[in-house]
């Protein structure tokens, strides 16, 4: 004889009586009710089991076996005979006024951890887009109470809240997002970091950014004890850009056939010589034979790559200084301009030879943000966009609160 109710176990509805199940092509209706049990009156605290009435309450649940699931719950109201108060029974799987189960809400929260849009989530859970957004708005991400030891800052094109650029703060040491700021204007950055006193800001030992002057000024004013590091990618590309400008100038001097040859060889010319295949190396040598300026630019580019391979920080600094002198004494104006840029950012660049921190993690978060924004066709509400970003990327804190007044 079967003594175990596997239906309740499968549906995870322990303590709930399953009366019957109806199926159709797209959905499953499960008729349920709770057993009668004593309830305390909310007015006089008198205990009662007297039932006043019943009504069918439709509650949407998590989809199962490729079909939408709806609980047709036989909702019961009790009556307190001494005071006449009528009140609803306690329901553990769907709070008062809710027309969805708690586990469906939890499923919505899990789905918002990916880059999908609210519209696609709403289709999967059989709810309206506005309902999914209202549940998502329950999430609350608080501002950080303290600053990390390694602070990375970068901007991204969010086009939300009437601002073109927003700012992301991360901790590349442990791979977490600290906060999202509404814009990159210096006055707003100053206002944001002013909330911490000097002692709290001294906890930041490394400040990582790109080669944008306001970030360097922010580091010098608010994080005086921290070492400012320029992201390696941003100063390496200065050398690549200088080489590309030289290549473009030279290829314009030749006929169509050779000009196309230079143009189609862009990748192998910028690629490290040590990583080229034999046939690619021969092609590069053939192109370098055309022009002395191109050979000089190629030599400076390869010399800079060797500096990046230095395992010793002191050796890297020494070679980097020599490279600047070589570039300044060259007849290539593009490399002289690059050397001038390096002189202006010299201290911050030299710090990268001693410490391993970069904006790599931050740039990865920015890529996720681009996907999130593209899937949603943009966001107008900055706070909602901020929470989506912090939800998709690993963040330091989240506060979850439910509002019993939310009606579906």
């Amino acid at each position: 004889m079967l003594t175990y109710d596997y239906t309740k176990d499968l549906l995870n509805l322990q303590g709930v009586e399953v009366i019957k199940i109806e199926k159709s092509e797209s959905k499953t209706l499960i008729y349920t009710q709770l057993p009668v049990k004593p309830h305390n009156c909310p007015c006089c605290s008198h205990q009662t089991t007297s039932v006043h009435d019943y009504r069918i309450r439709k509650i949407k649940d998590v989809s199962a076996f490729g079909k939408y699931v709806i609980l047709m719950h036989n909702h019961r109201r009790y009556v307190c005979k001494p005071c006449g108060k009528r009140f609803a029974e306690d329901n553990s799987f769907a709070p008062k006024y809710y027309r969805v189960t708690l586990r469906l809400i939890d499923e919505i929260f899990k789905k918002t951890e990916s880059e999908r849009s609210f519209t696609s989530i709403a289709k999967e859970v059989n709810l309206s887009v506005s309902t999914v957004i209202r549940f998502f708005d329950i999430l609350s991400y608080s501002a950080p109470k303290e600053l990390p030891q390694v602070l990375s800052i970068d901007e991204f094109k969010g086009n939300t809240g009437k601002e073109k650029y927003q700012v992301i703060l991360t901790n590349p040491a442990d791979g977490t997002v600290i906060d999202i700021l509404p814009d990159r204007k210096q006055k707003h950055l100053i206002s944001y970091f002013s909330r911490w006193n000097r002692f709290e800001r001294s906890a930041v030992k490394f400040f990582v950014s790109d080669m944008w002057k306001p970030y360097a000024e922010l580091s010098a004013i608010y994080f005086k004890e921290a070492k400012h590091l320029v992201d390696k990618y941003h100063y390496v590309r200065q050398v690549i850009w200088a080489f590309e400008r030289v290549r473009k100038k030279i290829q314009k001097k030749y006929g169509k056939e050779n000009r196309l040859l230079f143009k189609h060889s862009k990748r192998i010319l910028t690629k490290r010589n040590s990583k080229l295949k034999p046939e690619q190396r021969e092609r590069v040598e053939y192109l370098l034979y055309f022009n002395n300026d191109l050979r000089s630019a190629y030599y400076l580019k390869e010399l800079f790559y060797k500096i990046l391979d230095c395992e010793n920080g002191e050796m890297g600094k020494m070679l980097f200084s020599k490279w600047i002198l070589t570039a300044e004494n060259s007849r290539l104006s593009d490399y002289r301009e690059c050397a001038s840029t390096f002189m202006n950012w010299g201290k911050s660049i030299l710090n990268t030879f001693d410490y391993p921190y970069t904006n790599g993690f931050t740039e990865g978060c920015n890529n996720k943000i681009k996907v999130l924004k593209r899937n949603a066709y943009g966001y107008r509400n900055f706070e909602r966009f901020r929470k989506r970003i912090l939800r998709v990327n690993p963040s330091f804190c989240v506060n979850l609160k439910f509002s019993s007044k939310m009606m579906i």
Side-chain angles (χ1 to χ4, degrees), residues 15 39 51 66 76 81 86 93 102-103 123 127 133 147 167 197 201 209 216 222 224 257 281 297 304 325 354 366:
H39 279 65
V51 178
R76 184 185 296 113
K81 292 184 177 180
R86 298 171 181 82
F93 57 87
L102 290 175
R103 61 185 177 186
K123 289 179 181 178
L127 292 173
I133 291 175
L147 293 170
V167 173
N197 57 42
R201 293 197 301 268
S209 71
Y222 286 91
K224 296 179 180 180
E257 184 177 350
R281 193 172 288 112
F304 192 83
L325 291 174
D354 293 325
N366 288 346

PDB file of all heavy atoms in Angstrom, residues 15 39 51 66 76 81 86 93 102-103 123 127 133 147 167 197 201 209 216 222 224 257 281 297 304 325 354 366:
ATOM      1  N   GLY A  15       2.704  19.997   3.618  1.00  0.00           N
ATOM      2  CA  GLY A  15       1.716  20.670   4.459  1.00  0.00           C
ATOM      3  C   GLY A  15       0.530  21.202   3.687  1.00  0.00           C
ATOM      4  O   GLY A  15      -0.379  21.794   4.269  1.00  0.00           O
ATOM      5  N   HIS A  39      -6.317  29.234  14.620  1.00  0.00           N
ATOM      6  CA  HIS A  39      -5.693  30.529  14.338  1.00  0.00           C
ATOM      7  C   HIS A  39      -6.065  31.515  15.434  1.00  0.00           C
ATOM      8  O   HIS A  39      -7.183  31.460  15.979  1.00  0.00           O
ATOM      9  CB  HIS A  39      -6.182  31.088  12.985  1.00  0.00           C
ATOM     10  CG  HIS A  39      -5.478  30.502  11.810  1.00  0.00           C
ATOM     11  ND1 HIS A  39      -5.578  29.166  11.475  1.00  0.00           N
ATOM     12  CD2 HIS A  39      -4.653  31.064  10.879  1.00  0.00           C
ATOM     13  CE1 HIS A  39      -4.865  28.929  10.385  1.00  0.00           C
ATOM     14  NE2 HIS A  39      -4.295  30.075   9.998  1.00  0.00           N
ATOM     15  N   VAL A  51     -14.705  28.454  10.312  1.00  0.00           N
ATOM     16  CA  VAL A  51     -14.476  28.910   8.946  1.00  0.00           C
ATOM     17  C   VAL A  51     -15.619  29.829   8.518  1.00  0.00           C
ATOM     18  O   VAL A  51     -16.797  29.497   8.680  1.00  0.00           O
ATOM     19  CB  VAL A  51     -14.363  27.713   7.986  1.00  0.00           C
ATOM     20  CG1 VAL A  51     -14.174  28.193   6.552  1.00  0.00           C
ATOM     21  CG2 VAL A  51     -13.219  26.802   8.401  1.00  0.00           C
ATOM     22  N   GLY A  66       8.071  22.008 -18.798  1.00  0.00           N
ATOM     23  CA  GLY A  66       7.770  22.768 -20.005  1.00  0.00           C
ATOM     24  C   GLY A  66       6.401  23.422 -20.010  1.00  0.00           C
ATOM     25  O   GLY A  66       5.961  23.898 -21.062  1.00  0.00           O
ATOM     26  N   ARG A  76      -9.080  30.091   2.452  1.00  0.00           N
ATOM     27  CA  ARG A  76     -10.033  30.023   3.558  1.00  0.00           C
ATOM     28  C   ARG A  76      -9.953  31.273   4.428  1.00  0.00           C
ATOM     29  O   ARG A  76      -8.869  31.803   4.672  1.00  0.00           O
ATOM     30  CB  ARG A  76      -9.734  28.780   4.393  1.00  0.00           C
ATOM     31  CG  ARG A  76     -10.689  28.502   5.526  1.00  0.00           C
ATOM     32  CD  ARG A  76     -10.235  27.313   6.352  1.00  0.00           C
ATOM     33  NE  ARG A  76     -10.230  26.080   5.583  1.00  0.00           N
ATOM     34  CZ  ARG A  76      -9.139  25.415   5.261  1.00  0.00           C
ATOM     35  NH1 ARG A  76      -7.944  25.880   5.623  1.00  0.00           N
ATOM     36  NH2 ARG A  76      -9.203  24.301   4.565  1.00  0.00           N
ATOM     37  N   LYS A  81     -15.700  34.302  16.691  1.00  0.00           N
ATOM     38  CA  LYS A  81     -17.076  34.454  17.182  1.00  0.00           C
ATOM     39  C   LYS A  81     -17.217  35.491  18.296  1.00  0.00           C
ATOM     40  O   LYS A  81     -18.200  36.230  18.323  1.00  0.00           O
ATOM     41  CB  LYS A  81     -17.610  33.098  17.630  1.00  0.00           C
ATOM     42  CG  LYS A  81     -17.807  32.132  16.463  1.00  0.00           C
ATOM     43  CD  LYS A  81     -18.437  30.837  16.918  1.00  0.00           C
ATOM     44  CE  LYS A  81     -18.695  29.926  15.707  1.00  0.00           C
ATOM     45  NZ  LYS A  81     -19.308  28.633  16.102  1.00  0.00           N
ATOM     46  N   ARG A  86     -13.198  38.790  10.811  1.00  0.00           N
ATOM     47  CA  ARG A  86     -12.920  37.804   9.768  1.00  0.00           C
ATOM     48  C   ARG A  86     -11.503  38.032   9.235  1.00  0.00           C
ATOM     49  O   ARG A  86     -11.145  39.173   8.926  1.00  0.00           O
ATOM     50  CB  ARG A  86     -13.929  37.918   8.625  1.00  0.00           C
ATOM     51  CG  ARG A  86     -15.361  37.653   9.078  1.00  0.00           C
ATOM     52  CD  ARG A  86     -16.356  37.978   7.980  1.00  0.00           C
ATOM     53  NE  ARG A  86     -17.728  37.753   8.407  1.00  0.00           N
ATOM     54  CZ  ARG A  86     -18.464  38.597   9.113  1.00  0.00           C
ATOM     55  NH1 ARG A  86     -17.956  39.772   9.459  1.00  0.00           N
ATOM     56  NH2 ARG A  86     -19.698  38.299   9.449  1.00  0.00           N
ATOM     57  N   PHE A  93       3.520  29.759   1.502  1.00  0.00           N
ATOM     58  CA  PHE A  93       4.136  29.775   0.178  1.00  0.00           C
ATOM     59  C   PHE A  93       3.744  30.993  -0.653  1.00  0.00           C
ATOM     60  O   PHE A  93       4.344  31.239  -1.704  1.00  0.00           O
ATOM     61  CB  PHE A  93       3.808  28.489  -0.599  1.00  0.00           C
ATOM     62  CG  PHE A  93       2.336  28.222  -0.766  1.00  0.00           C
ATOM     63  CD1 PHE A  93       1.637  28.765  -1.831  1.00  0.00           C
ATOM     64  CD2 PHE A  93       1.656  27.417   0.138  1.00  0.00           C
ATOM     65  CE1 PHE A  93       0.294  28.513  -1.996  1.00  0.00           C
ATOM     66  CE2 PHE A  93       0.312  27.168  -0.020  1.00  0.00           C
ATOM     67  CZ  PHE A  93      -0.381  27.716  -1.085  1.00  0.00           C
ATOM     68  N   LEU A 102       6.470  32.449  -3.404  1.00  0.00           N
ATOM     69  CA  LEU A 102       7.776  32.993  -3.025  1.00  0.00           C
ATOM     70  C   LEU A 102       8.895  32.378  -3.858  1.00  0.00           C
ATOM     71  O   LEU A 102       9.878  33.035  -4.179  1.00  0.00           O
ATOM     72  CB  LEU A 102       8.029  32.756  -1.533  1.00  0.00           C
ATOM     73  CG  LEU A 102       7.169  33.574  -0.566  1.00  0.00           C
ATOM     74  CD1 LEU A 102       7.440  33.149   0.871  1.00  0.00           C
ATOM     75  CD2 LEU A 102       7.419  35.060  -0.721  1.00  0.00           C
ATOM     76  N   ARG A 103       8.735  31.119  -4.216  1.00  0.00           N
ATOM     77  CA  ARG A 103       9.798  30.489  -5.001  1.00  0.00           C
ATOM     78  C   ARG A 103       9.809  31.003  -6.436  1.00  0.00           C
ATOM     79  O   ARG A 103      10.847  30.971  -7.095  1.00  0.00           O
ATOM     80  CB  ARG A 103       9.666  28.970  -4.963  1.00  0.00           C
ATOM     81  CG  ARG A 103       8.391  28.394  -5.520  1.00  0.00           C
ATOM     82  CD  ARG A 103       8.376  26.902  -5.301  1.00  0.00           C
ATOM     83  NE  ARG A 103       7.127  26.287  -5.759  1.00  0.00           N
ATOM     84  CZ  ARG A 103       6.837  25.008  -5.556  1.00  0.00           C
ATOM     85  NH1 ARG A 103       7.703  24.231  -4.913  1.00  0.00           N
ATOM     86  NH2 ARG A 103       5.708  24.500  -5.989  1.00  0.00           N
ATOM     87  N   LYS A 123       8.522  36.516 -20.069  1.00  0.00           N
ATOM     88  CA  LYS A 123       7.961  35.453 -20.900  1.00  0.00           C
ATOM     89  C   LYS A 123       8.222  34.081 -20.294  1.00  0.00           C
ATOM     90  O   LYS A 123       7.368  33.187 -20.367  1.00  0.00           O
ATOM     91  CB  LYS A 123       8.558  35.530 -22.304  1.00  0.00           C
ATOM     92  CG  LYS A 123       8.072  36.726 -23.108  1.00  0.00           C
ATOM     93  CD  LYS A 123       8.715  36.746 -24.490  1.00  0.00           C
ATOM     94  CE  LYS A 123       8.242  37.962 -25.293  1.00  0.00           C
ATOM     95  NZ  LYS A 123       8.895  38.027 -26.633  1.00  0.00           N
ATOM     96  N   LEU A 127       4.660  36.118 -16.484  1.00  0.00           N
ATOM     97  CA  LEU A 127       4.218  37.329 -15.805  1.00  0.00           C
ATOM     98  C   LEU A 127       4.385  38.517 -16.749  1.00  0.00           C
ATOM     99  O   LEU A 127       5.092  38.425 -17.754  1.00  0.00           O
ATOM    100  CB  LEU A 127       5.041  37.569 -14.526  1.00  0.00           C
ATOM    101  CG  LEU A 127       4.849  36.578 -13.380  1.00  0.00           C
ATOM    102  CD1 LEU A 127       5.867  36.871 -12.279  1.00  0.00           C
ATOM    103  CD2 LEU A 127       3.440  36.642 -12.810  1.00  0.00           C
ATOM    104  N   ILE A 133       9.504  43.798 -13.154  1.00  0.00           N
ATOM    105  CA  ILE A 133      10.265  44.984 -12.749  1.00  0.00           C
ATOM    106  C   ILE A 133       9.932  45.378 -11.326  1.00  0.00           C
ATOM    107  O   ILE A 133      10.822  45.746 -10.549  1.00  0.00           O
ATOM    108  CB  ILE A 133       9.978  46.143 -13.724  1.00  0.00           C
ATOM    109  CG1 ILE A 133      10.586  45.847 -15.092  1.00  0.00           C
ATOM    110  CG2 ILE A 133      10.543  47.454 -13.177  1.00  0.00           C
ATOM    111  CD1 ILE A 133      10.256  46.880 -16.156  1.00  0.00           C
ATOM    112  N   LEU A 147      36.100  51.516   2.037  1.00  0.00           N
ATOM    113  CA  LEU A 147      36.797  51.415   0.766  1.00  0.00           C
ATOM    114  C   LEU A 147      37.785  50.252   0.789  1.00  0.00           C
ATOM    115  O   LEU A 147      38.370  49.952   1.836  1.00  0.00           O
ATOM    116  CB  LEU A 147      37.533  52.722   0.458  1.00  0.00           C
ATOM    117  CG  LEU A 147      36.636  53.934   0.196  1.00  0.00           C
ATOM    118  CD1 LEU A 147      37.471  55.212   0.158  1.00  0.00           C
ATOM    119  CD2 LEU A 147      35.866  53.773  -1.105  1.00  0.00           C
ATOM    120  N   VAL A 167      30.131  55.716 -14.211  1.00  0.00           N
ATOM    121  CA  VAL A 167      31.421  55.293 -13.660  1.00  0.00           C
ATOM    122  C   VAL A 167      31.233  54.015 -12.848  1.00  0.00           C
ATOM    123  O   VAL A 167      30.257  53.878 -12.098  1.00  0.00           O
ATOM    124  CB  VAL A 167      32.020  56.403 -12.767  1.00  0.00           C
ATOM    125  CG1 VAL A 167      33.273  55.904 -12.052  1.00  0.00           C
ATOM    126  CG2 VAL A 167      32.358  57.632 -13.604  1.00  0.00           C
ATOM    127  N   ASN A 197      36.067  60.103   5.464  1.00  0.00           N
ATOM    128  CA  ASN A 197      37.082  61.011   5.997  1.00  0.00           C
ATOM    129  C   ASN A 197      38.473  60.566   5.552  1.00  0.00           C
ATOM    130  O   ASN A 197      38.637  59.532   4.900  1.00  0.00           O
ATOM    131  CB  ASN A 197      36.997  61.098   7.527  1.00  0.00           C
ATOM    132  CG  ASN A 197      37.146  59.730   8.197  1.00  0.00           C
ATOM    133  OD1 ASN A 197      37.982  58.931   7.807  1.00  0.00           O
ATOM    134  ND2 ASN A 197      36.335  59.476   9.212  1.00  0.00           N
ATOM    135  N   ARG A 201      39.782  56.976   3.848  1.00  0.00           N
ATOM    136  CA  ARG A 201      40.352  56.942   2.495  1.00  0.00           C
ATOM    137  C   ARG A 201      41.779  56.420   2.488  1.00  0.00           C
ATOM    138  O   ARG A 201      42.261  55.934   1.464  1.00  0.00           O
ATOM    139  CB  ARG A 201      40.318  58.348   1.882  1.00  0.00           C
ATOM    140  CG  ARG A 201      38.919  58.868   1.596  1.00  0.00           C
ATOM    141  CD  ARG A 201      38.963  60.049   0.626  1.00  0.00           C
ATOM    142  NE  ARG A 201      39.764  61.148   1.143  1.00  0.00           N
ATOM    143  CZ  ARG A 201      39.303  62.166   1.856  1.00  0.00           C
ATOM    144  NH1 ARG A 201      37.997  62.210   2.157  1.00  0.00           N
ATOM    145  NH2 ARG A 201      40.097  63.139   2.271  1.00  0.00           N
ATOM    146  N   SER A 209      43.534  53.350 -12.681  1.00  0.00           N
ATOM    147  CA  SER A 209      42.669  54.063 -13.627  1.00  0.00           C
ATOM    148  C   SER A 209      43.298  54.064 -15.008  1.00  0.00           C
ATOM    149  O   SER A 209      44.422  53.578 -15.198  1.00  0.00           O
ATOM    150  CB  SER A 209      42.442  55.505 -13.154  1.00  0.00           C
ATOM    151  OG  SER A 209      43.621  56.274 -13.309  1.00  0.00           O
ATOM    152  N   ALA A 216      43.544  61.051 -12.340  1.00  0.00           N
ATOM    153  CA  ALA A 216      44.845  61.282 -11.704  1.00  0.00           C
ATOM    154  C   ALA A 216      44.738  62.385 -10.650  1.00  0.00           C
ATOM    155  O   ALA A 216      45.322  62.287  -9.573  1.00  0.00           O
ATOM    156  CB  ALA A 216      45.886  61.638 -12.762  1.00  0.00           C
ATOM    157  N   TYR A 222      42.464  62.924  -3.059  1.00  0.00           N
ATOM    158  CA  TYR A 222      41.732  62.133  -2.068  1.00  0.00           C
ATOM    159  C   TYR A 222      42.442  60.853  -1.640  1.00  0.00           C
ATOM    160  O   TYR A 222      42.090  60.267  -0.616  1.00  0.00           O
ATOM    161  CB  TYR A 222      40.339  61.786  -2.603  1.00  0.00           C
ATOM    162  CG  TYR A 222      39.401  62.965  -2.591  1.00  0.00           C
ATOM    163  CD1 TYR A 222      39.298  63.801  -3.687  1.00  0.00           C
ATOM    164  CD2 TYR A 222      38.643  63.256  -1.466  1.00  0.00           C
ATOM    165  CE1 TYR A 222      38.447  64.896  -3.667  1.00  0.00           C
ATOM    166  CE2 TYR A 222      37.800  64.347  -1.440  1.00  0.00           C
ATOM    167  CZ  TYR A 222      37.702  65.158  -2.537  1.00  0.00           C
ATOM    168  OH  TYR A 222      36.873  66.242  -2.511  1.00  0.00           O
ATOM    169  N   LYS A 224      46.073  60.362  -1.305  1.00  0.00           N
ATOM    170  CA  LYS A 224      47.471  60.778  -1.319  1.00  0.00           C
ATOM    171  C   LYS A 224      48.409  59.657  -0.910  1.00  0.00           C
ATOM    172  O   LYS A 224      49.543  59.592  -1.383  1.00  0.00           O
ATOM    173  CB  LYS A 224      47.659  61.979  -0.391  1.00  0.00           C
ATOM    174  CG  LYS A 224      46.905  63.221  -0.835  1.00  0.00           C
ATOM    175  CD  LYS A 224      47.117  64.372   0.131  1.00  0.00           C
ATOM    176  CE  LYS A 224      46.354  65.615  -0.314  1.00  0.00           C
ATOM    177  NZ  LYS A 224      46.541  66.755   0.619  1.00  0.00           N
ATOM    178  N   GLU A 257      48.784  48.775 -55.307  1.00  0.00           N
ATOM    179  CA  GLU A 257      49.117  47.392 -54.951  1.00  0.00           C
ATOM    180  C   GLU A 257      49.885  47.324 -53.643  1.00  0.00           C
ATOM    181  O   GLU A 257      49.534  46.555 -52.740  1.00  0.00           O
ATOM    182  CB  GLU A 257      49.931  46.758 -56.081  1.00  0.00           C
ATOM    183  CG  GLU A 257      50.238  45.276 -55.835  1.00  0.00           C
ATOM    184  CD  GLU A 257      50.987  44.658 -56.997  1.00  0.00           C
ATOM    185  OE1 GLU A 257      51.101  45.316 -58.052  1.00  0.00           O
ATOM    186  OE2 GLU A 257      51.474  43.523 -56.838  1.00  0.00           O
ATOM    187  N   ARG A 281      56.795  36.197 -40.862  1.00  0.00           N
ATOM    188  CA  ARG A 281      58.030  36.935 -40.588  1.00  0.00           C
ATOM    189  C   ARG A 281      58.705  37.366 -41.888  1.00  0.00           C
ATOM    190  O   ARG A 281      59.249  38.476 -41.984  1.00  0.00           O
ATOM    191  CB  ARG A 281      58.954  36.065 -39.737  1.00  0.00           C
ATOM    192  CG  ARG A 281      60.125  36.848 -39.128  1.00  0.00           C
ATOM    193  CD  ARG A 281      60.919  36.014 -38.140  1.00  0.00           C
ATOM    194  NE  ARG A 281      60.161  35.791 -36.906  1.00  0.00           N
ATOM    195  CZ  ARG A 281      59.686  34.598 -36.509  1.00  0.00           C
ATOM    196  NH1 ARG A 281      59.897  33.522 -37.284  1.00  0.00           N
ATOM    197  NH2 ARG A 281      59.014  34.466 -35.396  1.00  0.00           N
ATOM    198  N   ALA A 297      60.213  52.551 -36.617  1.00  0.00           N
ATOM    199  CA  ALA A 297      58.984  52.420 -35.826  1.00  0.00           C
ATOM    200  C   ALA A 297      58.796  50.987 -35.352  1.00  0.00           C
ATOM    201  O   ALA A 297      58.394  50.745 -34.208  1.00  0.00           O
ATOM    202  CB  ALA A 297      57.783  52.869 -36.654  1.00  0.00           C
ATOM    203  N   PHE A 304      59.729  47.986 -27.050  1.00  0.00           N
ATOM    204  CA  PHE A 304      58.774  48.226 -25.965  1.00  0.00           C
ATOM    205  C   PHE A 304      58.153  46.916 -25.485  1.00  0.00           C
ATOM    206  O   PHE A 304      57.924  46.732 -24.282  1.00  0.00           O
ATOM    207  CB  PHE A 304      57.674  49.188 -26.444  1.00  0.00           C
ATOM    208  CG  PHE A 304      56.817  49.709 -25.327  1.00  0.00           C
ATOM    209  CD1 PHE A 304      57.219  50.796 -24.563  1.00  0.00           C
ATOM    210  CD2 PHE A 304      55.608  49.104 -25.014  1.00  0.00           C
ATOM    211  CE1 PHE A 304      56.431  51.267 -23.522  1.00  0.00           C
ATOM    212  CE2 PHE A 304      54.815  49.573 -23.983  1.00  0.00           C
ATOM    213  CZ  PHE A 304      55.236  50.656 -23.235  1.00  0.00           C
ATOM    214  N   LEU A 325      64.004  57.911 -23.934  1.00  0.00           N
ATOM    215  CA  LEU A 325      65.097  58.693 -24.525  1.00  0.00           C
ATOM    216  C   LEU A 325      65.293  58.341 -26.002  1.00  0.00           C
ATOM    217  O   LEU A 325      65.527  59.221 -26.846  1.00  0.00           O
ATOM    218  CB  LEU A 325      66.394  58.445 -23.745  1.00  0.00           C
ATOM    219  CG  LEU A 325      66.439  59.019 -22.326  1.00  0.00           C
ATOM    220  CD1 LEU A 325      67.723  58.571 -21.628  1.00  0.00           C
ATOM    221  CD2 LEU A 325      66.347  60.544 -22.356  1.00  0.00           C
ATOM    222  N   ASP A 354      56.010  47.320 -10.530  1.00  0.00           N
ATOM    223  CA  ASP A 354      56.187  46.764  -9.187  1.00  0.00           C
ATOM    224  C   ASP A 354      54.939  46.061  -8.659  1.00  0.00           C
ATOM    225  O   ASP A 354      55.044  45.212  -7.777  1.00  0.00           O
ATOM    226  CB  ASP A 354      56.570  47.880  -8.205  1.00  0.00           C
ATOM    227  CG  ASP A 354      57.948  48.463  -8.505  1.00  0.00           C
ATOM    228  OD1 ASP A 354      58.830  47.689  -8.929  1.00  0.00           O
ATOM    229  OD2 ASP A 354      58.127  49.685  -8.333  1.00  0.00           O
ATOM    230  N   ASN A 366      32.642  45.920 -17.805  1.00  0.00           N
ATOM    231  CA  ASN A 366      32.104  46.832 -18.815  1.00  0.00           C
ATOM    232  C   ASN A 366      31.553  46.073 -20.024  1.00  0.00           C
ATOM    233  O   ASN A 366      30.547  46.481 -20.619  1.00  0.00           O
ATOM    234  CB  ASN A 366      33.175  47.817 -19.266  1.00  0.00           C
ATOM    235  CG  ASN A 366      33.497  48.860 -18.212  1.00  0.00           C
ATOM    236  OD1 ASN A 366      32.754  49.026 -17.248  1.00  0.00           O
ATOM    237  ND2 ASN A 366      34.597  49.566 -18.366  1.00  0.00           N
TER     238      ASN A 366
END
